[in-house]
Amino acid sequence: MVEQIDEILQEVIDNSEKPDRKIRLVEEPNEGVAVWVGSEHFIGIDAVPDPIVKDLIRLAVKEWDKRTEKRA
């Protein structure tokens, strides 16, 4: 699931005003979802201090929800 959302996040970033942003979602076995913003590492979306990055991730999650609803 996290990998699928990250793929959508990359699409969202490519279509954003700053397509050169380096943001990645990774599933950490003991910590849950990790967010990489450049070389900075955060555990969970809420730990990310940049509201624009949070918005991009939330947009990707919404799109993932839409796509998975269509398959169900």
Side-chain angles (χ1 to χ4, degrees):
M1 175 176 89
V2 175
E3 287 179 19
Q4 294 171 349
I5 295 171
D6 183 62
E7 287 177 23
I8 295 170
L9 175 61
Q10 300 315 307
E11 294 172 19
V12 169
I13 293 167
D14 287 345
N15 294 319
S16 73
E17 292 178 10
K18 295 186 178 182
D20 59 337
R21 284 184 167 242
K22 304 290 186 229
I23 306 166
R24 287 277 180 205
L25 298 180
V26 179
E27 189 165 358
E28 298 285 344
N30 297 325
E31 298 174 326
V33 177
V35 181
W36 285 90
V37 181
S39 62
E40 293 182 284
H41 178 248
F42 305 95
I43 300 301
I45 297 167
D46 291 332
V48 177
D50 186 333
I52 294 171
V53 172
K54 284 183 182 179
D55 288 345
L56 291 170
I57 295 169
R58 289 187 179 122
L59 189 61
V61 170
K62 282 183 183 179
E63 180 60 28
W64 180 83
D65 283 340
K66 283 184 198 175
R67 292 180 188 186
T68 54
E69 282 179 10
K70 289 179 182 179
R71 288 186 220 151

